[in-house]
Each structure stands twice: as C-alpha cells, then as structure tokens.
Amino acid sequence: MIELLNGLNPLYSLSGLGVGILVGLTGVGGGSLMTPLLILAFGFHPATAVGTDLLYAAVTKSGGTVVHGMNRNVDWRLAGWLALGSVPATGATLALLFHLGVTGKQAGGLMSAGLGVALLLTALAIFYRGRLLRWAESRPRRLSRDATIRTTIWLGAIMGLLVSVSSVGAGAIGVTALLLLYPGLPTARIVGTDIAHAVPLTLVAGIGHWMLGSVDWLLLVSLLVGSLPGIAIGSALAVRVPEAVLRPLLATVLVVIGGKLLLSA
C-alpha cells in the first residue's frame, strides 16, 4: 500500500481534480475530457488511456448510481434493455481489439478515430439537445412500445461499441438519445438510468481491457485521488456558474480535440 502511494503521480491527480470539477459543473462524462487529455497531453497509448478511464468511470459512476437509486431516479427495466445491447457489443468490440493487437498501431488508430467521432457526437449532443427535444415534442406520432424497446437495445449496442473503443458515449450522447426516445420520463430519471447502465458497461469493458493488458493501475489511483474531490467541488459550484456559457464552451473544446484526434488517427 505504501509503495502504491509513493508511486502516485501528483500531476495526474491534479489533472483528475480539474476534470472532476468540470464533470461536476457540466455533467459531461469524464471520458470526454480525461481520455483525450491522457493521449494528447501525457502521451499514453490510446488503449491504456481508454482502458484505465473505463475502470475510473466504473468507480465514479457507482457512487452516482447509489445516490440516484436511493432517490428512485433509476428505471431498472430501461437500464436492462440498454444492457441487452451494450454488453454483447462490448464483447464483440473487445474481441476485435484483441485480434488487431490492442497496443499495436492499427488498434491505436482505430481507438483514436473512435474517440474523435465520439467527442464530435458529444459536442453535437450538447449544442443541439434543446432543439432536438423541441423537435421530438412536436412530432404527433410516437414509436410503438415494441419499436421503442428494439431501438433502446440498438442504442445500447452503439453505446457499447463507442465506449469500448473510446470510453466516451455513455454520457451526453446516451442521455440525449434517451430523452428523445422517452420524452415522458423526467430528466432526472433519464440521467439516473443512464448512469446506472454505464456502471456494468464500463466495468465489463474495463475488465476486458485489463485482461488485454491495457490498464495502468497507478494511473487509475492517481486520477481517482484527484477526481473524487473534484466532482464534489464542481457539483457544489454548479449553481453559481451560468450553464448557457459553460456548456457551449465545453462543446467547442470537444470539437477541436475530436478533430485533432481524427487527423492523427
């Protein structure tokens, strides 16, 4: 234990603190910020950045799931439908990464490209969520129950693919899609359900990356040391920061980072 603490990198913990504060302020998943930071700023291989961030997300989102569950803000049946699509898709994606050689150049390029696409989709979800919801509310016809369930399962599969190659996709993208599919559910319940589903998704994907050898445990602990108090600080400051300014600014940053990752893939 002492050796582990001595091996912690304060710079990584400081980065975790900053990302945690932004997550608490905006609600945007840490993978959208942490994974590109690890790749572009610290030079980690995409597989190591993604694998480590997946287990980091599983830990942090578990706490959020407990809180949302106690407040009855989780639709467990809906979370199960998402998992029906995401867990098999995660397994198939991990098998592909194993086939390519997870730490090789080919897999690294695939993961950088996947991360770039996921960041651009996240930015679009942040920019246009209000317009999309108004469009959905204006539609006179809704999908049937069976069609909605099938679409939810497919959404889970897409999230499983994106999260496994990029660690991004279970936050702003998932919430926006669920709000469009289930306009009658309160936003808090949608968010709680998305977080609850993200726990098994990121845990399964993270364990898969660990088995493939793409998890840095010292990095993981260093990030958690900073990010856990950071999320608490950001959540406390959220009521004082104008969301209309912060979220578009964050979306713009994600577009720039996503474009850079796509160009480097």
Side-chain angles (χ1 to χ4, degrees):
M1 183 66 178
I2 295 177
E3 291 181 1
L4 178 62
L5 293 176
N6 289 335
L8 298 183
N9 189 317
L11 187 58
Y12 298 157
S13 297
L14 185 61
S15 300
L17 176 67
V19 170
I21 291 173
L22 287 173
V23 170
L25 283 170
T26 65
V28 174
S32 302
L33 304 165
M34 185 63 75
T35 305
L37 178 67
L38 293 175
I39 296 172
L40 299 175
F42 295 120
F44 282 96
H45 188 280
T48 302
V50 170
T52 304
D53 187 70
L54 284 167
L55 290 181
Y56 159 82
V59 174
T60 55
K61 289 179 183 293
S62 294
T65 299
V66 171
V67 174
H68 281 288
M70 292 175 62
N71 292 329
R72 301 183 182 277
N73 282 334
V74 177
D75 188 322
W76 295 106
R77 184 173 55 177
L78 174 53
W81 291 335
L82 288 169
L84 278 177
S86 65
V87 173
T90 296
T93 305
L94 290 171
L96 174 62
L97 292 175
F98 174 76
H99 175 72
L100 294 175
V102 69
T103 58
K105 183 176 181 182
Q106 195 172 7
L110 173 64
M111 297 174 83
S112 292
L115 178 57
V117 170
L119 291 178
L120 293 178
L121 291 175
T122 299
L124 290 174
I126 294 172
F127 269 129
Y128 296 108
R129 178 181 293 179
R131 295 182 186 180
L132 287 171
L133 293 180
R134 287 192 294 272
W135 170 79
E137 291 171 356
S138 67
R139 294 174 60 200
R141 299 178 64 183
R142 306 288 185 192
L143 292 175
S144 67
R145 183 177 183 276
D146 288 345
T148 300
I149 293 174
R150 287 194 298 270
T151 305
T152 303
I153 294 172
W154 277 108
L155 172 62
I158 294 170
M159 291 169 65
L161 170 63
L162 285 176
V163 167
S164 298
V165 299
S166 70
S167 78
V168 179
I173 300 173
V175 168
T176 301
L178 289 174
L179 285 169
L180 294 174
L181 282 172
Y182 300 92
L185 282 181
T187 301
R189 196 165 176 81
I190 291 286
V191 172
T193 301
D194 183 71
I195 291 175
H197 165 249
V199 173
L201 170 56
T202 54
L203 184 61
V204 169
I207 291 174
H209 274 272
W210 170 47
M211 294 176 67
L212 294 176
S214 53
V215 172
D216 186 322
W217 292 100
L218 278 176
L219 172 61
L220 173 61
V221 176
S222 297
L223 295 177
L224 287 171
V225 166
S227 66
L228 292 177
I231 291 172
I233 294 170
S235 299
L237 294 174
V239 294
R240 304 181 184 181
V241 179
E243 184 177 350
V245 174
L246 189 59
R247 291 180 71 88
L249 179 61
L250 178 61
T252 302
V253 171
L254 294 181
V255 168
V256 173
I257 296 174
K260 186 171 183 178
L261 285 164
L262 283 173
L263 291 174
S264 66

